[in-house]
Amino acid sequence: MKTSHTLIVKNEPTFAVTVEKIPRPEPKADEVLIRVQWSAVNYKDALALSERGGVLRQYPMTPGIDLAGVIVESRDSQFPEGLPVLVTGFGLGVSHPGGLSEFQAVPTSWLVPLPETMSLREAALIGTAGFTAALALREVVAKTTPEQAVAVTGASGGVGSFAIALLSQLGYQNITGVSRKKDVADQLKKLGATEIIQPEYFITEKPRPLSKQEFHGVIDTVGGDLLAQILPTVYYGGVAALCGNAGGIKLTTTVLPFILRGITLAGIDSVNVPMTQRVQVWQELAQNLHFLQNLPVTEVSLFEVPQIAQALLAGTHSGRTIVRM
């Protein structure tokens, strides 16, 4: 019997996260079997490994919202055996077994053929974090110019780090990273940030619905109170792209930044992006991979994933962690 080392989250009889050797998945008629070579650990994956994370739709479940590998079983001529592919989003690692496994069966409708200029490692390194940053970047670039100021919250995290690197690659000259981690300033400046500030910068004794205009664009990975404090500082006609909720899901603000300054609040969803757009964004990312050069990357084995997840939830993790199968 062919087997696969797989990370499994169970909730019976008690909550547990283990790596087990189980039979390889049997792909259905509309699926292929992928030999996973690389996966990643995202904040969403860390929540999936937490007892009260609220991410997994059923148990037992294999988490992992990213995977990159090679098709080893297929009945679809469009996706033949031997084709390198990547998968992010949809139900992967949430309602469908995910990428933290040596082998995984995945619907063909979720497959993105690996761009020719990109390696499987690079695909996993970019993963959901880089894909999300690229989607947010589209919104910001559409309403700003490289000379204007852009802020990135949660700057030391996966999405934040990618956002800074991608903005820098596009020639943005005034990028402010917002992070409470004082020891990441040098690393973020290597990625392209021109200034690093802490969230406390936005806290005033008497909060105002409108403050001094400082940023033409914002890529926000935090949400909650920090986002509410930043919105009043956005320039007239500016944009805030929202793609995270590590700081909470509630947003307490006023309508004034929107009706008096005409700013745009753009929601970023990386899960259900139509395949045509999804492939286009991956091709754009593959055109110039230099933005990966200074990205802080940690490689771990499947057995080390729970430890990384704990660091992510504790706020002590920086950069990007990929999983080598």
Side-chain angles (χ1 to χ4, degrees):
M1 180 177 63
K2 296 181 178 179
T3 59
S4 170
H5 282 97
T6 302
L7 191 146
I8 300 176
V9 180
K10 300 178 180 179
N11 67 344
E12 291 181 0
T14 59
F15 185 85
V17 178
T18 58
V19 175
E20 300 180 16
K21 198 171 184 180
I22 64 173
R24 289 187 193 177
E26 291 289 340
K28 299 176 184 176
D30 62 344
E31 295 180 336
V32 298
L33 182 65
I34 299 172
R35 182 185 179 94
V36 182
Q37 294 189 14
W38 296 92
S39 186
V41 189
N42 300 276
Y43 186 77
K44 192 172 182 178
D45 297 316
L47 289 173
L49 269 66
S50 171
E51 186 171 3
R52 294 175 178 84
V55 168
L56 299 183
R57 297 293 180 262
Q58 62 192 52
Y59 295 90
M61 178 59 69
T62 296
I65 61 173
D66 296 336
L67 71 78
V70 177
I71 296 174
V72 293
E73 287 185 32
S74 174
R75 305 171 198 171
D76 190 327
S77 59
Q78 186 180 353
F79 297 100
E81 294 175 6
L83 181 71
V85 294
L86 63 95
V87 184
T88 65
F90 299 107
L92 191 72
V94 176
S95 58
H96 181 95
L100 293 172
S101 177
E102 290 179 321
F103 290 85
Q104 196 55 266
V106 178
T108 56
S109 60
W110 296 0
L111 302 177
V112 175
L114 185 73
E116 289 184 4
T117 58
M118 184 181 289
S119 69
L120 288 169
R121 182 184 183 278
E122 289 168 335
L125 175 55
I126 295 170
T128 293
F131 182 65
T132 302
L135 292 171
L137 205 71
R138 283 184 160 198
E139 299 291 339
V140 170
V141 168
K143 297 183 73 69
T144 63
T145 64
E147 295 76 26
Q148 294 178 325
V150 177
V152 178
T153 69
S156 67
V159 178
S161 297
F162 276 114
I164 290 173
L166 288 167
L167 283 165
S168 179
Q169 182 166 275
L170 289 177
Y172 277 74
Q173 303 157 16
N174 192 346
I175 307 169
T176 297
V178 184
S179 176
R180 63 179 70 257
K181 299 174 184 176
K182 297 180 181 180
D183 59 341
V184 300
D186 289 343
Q187 182 59 56
L188 294 179
K189 288 181 178 179
K190 285 182 181 179
L191 292 176
T194 50
E195 182 184 17
I196 312 298
I197 59 177
Q198 293 190 297
E200 288 74 18
Y201 172 86
F202 297 98
I203 299 176
T204 58
E205 188 174 337
K206 295 181 178 180
R208 298 178 179 180
L210 293 175
S211 302
K212 176 185 175 183
Q213 298 175 81
E214 296 187 58
F215 304 106
H216 297 85
V218 176
I219 295 178
D220 175 61
T221 74
V222 176
D225 292 340
L226 179 57
L227 174 59
Q229 292 156 356
I230 289 179
L231 288 176
T233 71
V234 178
Y235 269 95
Y236 186 93
V239 58
L242 281 56
C243 53
N245 62 354
I249 61 172
K250 292 185 178 180
L251 178 60
T252 304
T253 186
T254 74
V255 299
L256 296 188
F258 310 101
I259 66 173
L260 296 185
R261 288 188 178 165
I263 74 169
T264 298
L265 204 62
I268 306 300
D269 167 59
S270 64
V271 175
N272 296 301
V273 177
M275 185 53 69
T276 301
Q277 181 184 357
R278 187 179 292 267
V279 171
Q280 185 181 43
V281 171
W282 277 102
Q283 291 293 343
E284 290 172 358
L285 286 165
Q287 288 175 8
N288 189 348
L289 294 167
H290 291 304
F291 69 92
L292 297 176
Q293 288 182 347
N294 294 316
L295 196 75
V297 183
T298 303
E299 289 186 16
V300 299
S301 71
L302 195 59
F303 296 89
E304 298 171 275
V305 169
Q307 180 181 350
I308 298 298
Q310 290 177 4
L312 274 164
L313 294 176
T316 57
H317 181 276
S318 297
R320 185 77 169 138
T321 294
I322 54 177
V323 185
R324 181 182 61 256
M325 295 299 164

